[in-house]
Coordinates of all heavy atoms in Angstrom, one line a residue:
A1514 N 79.6 -180.1 116.7 CA 78.7 -179.6 115.6 C 78.6 -178.1 115.6 O 78.6 -177.5 114.6 CB 77.3 -180.2 115.9
A1515 N 78.6 -177.5 116.8 CA 78.5 -176.0 116.9 C 79.8 -175.4 116.3 O 79.7 -174.3 115.8 CB 78.4 -175.6 118.3
L1516 N 80.9 -176.1 116.3 CA 82.1 -175.6 115.7 C 82.3 -175.9 114.3 O 83.3 -175.6 113.6 CB 83.3 -176.2 116.5 CG 83.5 -175.7 117.9 CD1 84.6 -176.5 118.7 CD2 83.8 -174.2 118.0
G1517 N 81.2 -176.6 113.7 CA 81.2 -176.9 112.3 C 81.7 -178.2 111.9 O 81.9 -178.5 110.7
V1518 N 81.9 -179.1 112.9 CA 82.4 -180.5 112.7 C 81.3 -181.4 113.2 O 81.4 -181.8 114.4 CB 83.8 -180.7 113.3 CG1 84.2 -182.1 113.0 CG2 84.8 -179.7 112.9
D1519 N 80.4 -181.7 112.4 CA 79.3 -182.6 112.9 C 79.6 -184.0 112.5 O 79.4 -184.4 111.3 CB 77.9 -182.2 112.3 CG 76.8 -182.9 112.9 OD1 77.0 -183.7 113.8 OD2 75.6 -182.6 112.6
V1520 N 80.1 -184.8 113.4 CA 80.5 -186.2 113.1 C 79.3 -187.2 113.3 O 79.4 -188.3 113.0 CB 81.7 -186.6 114.0 CG1 82.9 -185.8 113.7 CG2 81.3 -186.6 115.5
R1521 N 78.2 -186.7 113.8 CA 77.1 -187.6 114.2 C 76.6 -188.5 113.0 O 76.4 -189.6 113.2 CB 75.9 -186.8 114.7 CG 76.2 -186.2 116.1 CD 75.1 -185.3 116.6 NE 75.1 -184.1 115.8 CZ 74.5 -183.0 116.1 NH1 73.7 -182.9 117.2 NH2 74.5 -181.9 115.4
P1522 N 76.6 -187.9 111.8 CA 76.2 -188.8 110.7 C 77.2 -190.0 110.4 O 76.8 -190.9 109.7 CB 76.0 -187.9 109.5 CG 76.0 -186.5 110.0 CD 76.7 -186.6 111.3
N1523 N 78.4 -189.8 110.9 CA 79.4 -190.8 110.6 C 79.6 -191.8 111.7 O 80.4 -192.7 111.6 CB 80.8 -190.0 110.5 CG 80.8 -189.0 109.4 OD1 80.1 -189.2 108.4 ND2 81.5 -187.9 109.6
L1524 N 78.9 -191.7 112.8 CA 79.0 -192.6 113.9 C 78.1 -193.8 113.8 O 77.0 -193.7 113.2 CB 78.7 -191.9 115.3 CG 79.5 -190.7 115.6 CD1 79.1 -190.1 117.0 CD2 81.0 -190.9 115.6
F1525 N 78.6 -194.9 114.2 CA 77.8 -196.1 114.3 C 76.6 -195.9 115.2 O 76.8 -195.2 116.3 CB 78.6 -197.3 114.7 CG 79.6 -197.7 113.6 CD1 80.9 -197.3 113.7 CD2 79.3 -198.5 112.6 CE1 81.8 -197.6 112.7 CE2 80.2 -198.9 111.6 CZ 81.5 -198.4 111.7
I1526 N 75.5 -196.4 115.0 CA 74.3 -196.2 115.9 C 74.6 -196.8 117.2 O 74.4 -196.1 118.2 CB 73.1 -196.9 115.3 CG1 72.7 -196.2 114.0 CG2 71.9 -196.8 116.3 CD1 71.6 -196.9 113.2
D1527 N 75.1 -198.0 117.2 CA 75.5 -198.7 118.5 C 76.5 -199.8 118.2 O 76.9 -200.0 117.0 CB 74.2 -199.3 119.2 CG 73.4 -200.2 118.3 OD1 74.0 -200.7 117.3 OD2 72.2 -200.3 118.5
R1528 N 76.9 -200.6 119.2 CA 77.9 -201.6 119.0 C 77.5 -202.6 118.0 O 78.3 -203.1 117.2 CB 78.1 -202.3 120.4 CG 79.2 -203.3 120.3 CD 79.5 -203.9 121.7 NE 78.3 -204.5 122.2 CZ 78.1 -204.7 123.5 NH1 78.9 -204.3 124.4 NH2 77.0 -205.3 123.9
E1529 N 76.2 -203.1 118.0 CA 75.7 -204.1 117.1 C 75.8 -203.6 115.6 O 76.1 -204.3 114.7 CB 74.3 -204.5 117.4 CG 74.2 -205.4 118.6 CD 75.1 -206.6 118.6 OE1 75.2 -207.3 117.5 OE2 75.8 -206.8 119.6
H1530 N 75.5 -202.3 115.4 CA 75.7 -201.7 114.1 C 77.1 -201.8 113.6 O 77.4 -202.2 112.5 CB 75.2 -200.3 114.1 CG 75.3 -199.5 112.8 ND1 75.6 -198.2 112.8 CD2 75.2 -199.9 111.5 CE1 75.7 -197.8 111.5 NE2 75.4 -198.9 110.7
A1531 N 78.1 -201.5 114.5 CA 79.5 -201.6 114.1 C 79.9 -203.0 113.8 O 80.6 -203.3 112.8 CB 80.4 -201.0 115.2
I1532 N 79.5 -204.0 114.7 CA 79.9 -205.4 114.5 C 79.3 -205.9 113.2 O 80.0 -206.5 112.4 CB 79.3 -206.2 115.7 CG1 80.1 -205.9 116.9 CG2 79.4 -207.7 115.3 CD1 79.5 -206.4 118.2
T1533 N 78.1 -205.6 112.9 CA 77.4 -206.0 111.6 C 78.1 -205.4 110.4 O 78.4 -206.1 109.4 CB 75.9 -205.6 111.6 OG1 75.3 -206.2 112.7 CG2 75.3 -206.0 110.3
F1534 N 78.5 -204.1 110.5 CA 79.2 -203.5 109.4 C 80.5 -204.2 109.1 O 80.7 -204.5 107.9 CB 79.4 -202.0 109.8 CG 80.2 -201.2 108.8 CD1 79.5 -200.6 107.8 CD2 81.5 -201.1 108.8 CE1 80.2 -199.8 106.8 CE2 82.2 -200.3 107.9 CZ 81.5 -199.7 106.9
F1535 N 81.3 -204.4 110.1 CA 82.6 -205.0 109.8 C 82.5 -206.5 109.5 O 83.3 -207.0 108.6 CB 83.6 -204.8 111.0 CG 84.0 -203.3 111.0 CD1 83.5 -202.5 112.0 CD2 84.9 -202.8 110.1 CE1 83.8 -201.1 112.1 CE2 85.2 -201.4 110.1 CZ 84.7 -200.6 111.1
R1536 N 81.6 -207.2 110.1 CA 81.4 -208.6 109.7 C 80.9 -208.8 108.3 O 81.3 -209.7 107.5 CB 80.4 -209.3 110.7 CG 81.1 -209.6 112.0 CD 80.2 -210.5 112.9 NE 80.9 -210.8 114.1 CZ 80.3 -211.1 115.2 NH1 79.0 -211.1 115.3 NH2 81.0 -211.3 116.3
H1537 N 80.1 -207.9 107.8 CA 79.6 -207.9 106.4 C 80.8 -207.7 105.5 O 80.7 -208.2 104.3 CB 78.6 -206.7 106.2 CG 78.1 -206.5 104.8 ND1 77.3 -207.4 104.2 CD2 78.5 -205.6 103.9 CE1 77.1 -207.0 102.9 NE2 77.8 -205.9 102.8
L1538 N 81.8 -207.0 105.9 CA 83.0 -206.8 105.0 C 84.0 -208.0 105.2 O 85.0 -208.0 104.6 CB 83.7 -205.5 105.4 CG 82.9 -204.3 105.1 CD1 83.6 -203.0 105.7 CD2 82.6 -204.1 103.6
G1539 N 83.6 -209.0 106.0 CA 84.5 -210.2 106.1 C 85.4 -210.2 107.2 O 86.2 -211.1 107.3
F1540 N 85.3 -209.3 108.1 CA 86.2 -209.3 109.3 C 85.7 -210.2 110.4 O 84.4 -210.4 110.5 CB 86.3 -207.9 109.9 CG 87.2 -207.0 109.2 CD1 86.7 -206.1 108.2 CD2 88.6 -207.0 109.4 CE1 87.5 -205.2 107.5 CE2 89.4 -206.1 108.7 CZ 88.9 -205.2 107.8
H1541 N 86.6 -210.8 111.1 CA 86.2 -211.5 112.4 C 86.4 -210.4 113.4 O 87.5 -209.8 113.6 CB 87.2 -212.7 112.6 CG 87.1 -213.7 111.5 ND1 86.1 -214.6 111.5 CD2 87.9 -213.9 110.5 CE1 86.3 -215.4 110.4 NE2 87.4 -215.0 109.8
V1542 N 85.3 -210.2 114.2 CA 85.3 -209.0 115.1 C 85.2 -209.5 116.5 O 84.4 -210.3 116.9 CB 84.1 -208.1 114.8 CG1 84.0 -207.0 115.7 CG2 84.1 -207.7 113.3
S1543 N 86.1 -209.0 117.3 CA 86.0 -209.1 118.8 C 86.2 -207.7 119.4 O 86.6 -206.8 118.7 CB 87.0 -210.1 119.4 OG 88.3 -209.7 119.1
Y1544 N 85.8 -207.5 120.6 CA 85.9 -206.2 121.2 C 85.9 -206.4 122.7 O 85.5 -207.4 123.2 CB 84.6 -205.3 120.8 CG 83.3 -206.0 121.2 CD1 82.8 -205.8 122.4 CD2 82.7 -206.8 120.3 CE1 81.6 -206.4 122.8 CE2 81.5 -207.4 120.6 CZ 80.9 -207.2 121.9 OH 79.8 -207.8 122.3
F1545 N 86.4 -205.3 123.3 CA 86.3 -205.3 124.8 C 86.3 -203.9 125.3 O 86.7 -203.0 124.5 CB 87.5 -206.1 125.4 CG 88.9 -205.5 125.1 CD1 89.5 -204.5 125.9 CD2 89.6 -206.0 124.0 CE1 90.7 -204.0 125.6 CE2 90.8 -205.5 123.7 CZ 91.4 -204.5 124.5
P1546 N 85.7 -203.6 126.4 CA 85.6 -202.2 126.9 C 87.0 -201.7 127.3 O 87.9 -202.4 127.8 CB 84.8 -202.4 128.2 CG 84.4 -203.8 128.3 CD 85.1 -204.6 127.3
L1547 N 87.3 -200.5 127.0 CA 88.5 -199.8 127.3 C 88.8 -199.8 128.8 O 89.9 -199.8 129.3 CB 88.6 -198.4 126.8 CG 89.4 -198.2 125.5 CD1 89.2 -196.8 125.0 CD2 90.8 -198.5 125.6
T1548 N 87.7 -199.9 129.6 CA 87.9 -199.9 131.0 C 88.7 -201.1 131.5 O 89.3 -201.1 132.6 CB 86.5 -199.8 131.8 OG1 85.7 -200.9 131.3 CG2 85.9 -198.5 131.6
E1549 N 88.7 -202.2 130.7 CA 89.4 -203.4 131.1 C 90.9 -203.2 131.1 O 91.7 -203.9 131.8 CB 89.1 -204.6 130.1 CG 87.8 -205.2 130.4 CD 87.5 -206.4 129.5 OE1 88.5 -207.0 129.0 OE2 86.4 -206.8 129.4
V1550 N 91.4 -202.2 130.4 CA 92.8 -201.9 130.4 C 93.2 -200.5 131.0 O 94.3 -200.1 130.9 CB 93.4 -202.0 128.9 CG1 93.3 -203.3 128.3 CG2 92.7 -200.9 128.0

Side-chain angles (χ1 to χ4, degrees):
L1516 294 171
V1518 182
D1519 191 359
V1520 298
R1521 292 174 292 193
N1523 303 327
L1524 301 182
F1525 291 94
I1526 296 168
D1527 54 23
R1528 184 178 59 208
E1529 288 306 313
H1530 179 214
I1532 291 168
T1533 300
F1534 178 85
F1535 290 105
R1536 283 187 178 157
H1537 173 74
L1538 295 174
F1540 283 95
H1541 299 281
V1542 179
S1543 59
Y1544 58 88
F1545 61 90
L1547 258 175
T1548 53
E1549 285 186 16
V1550 296

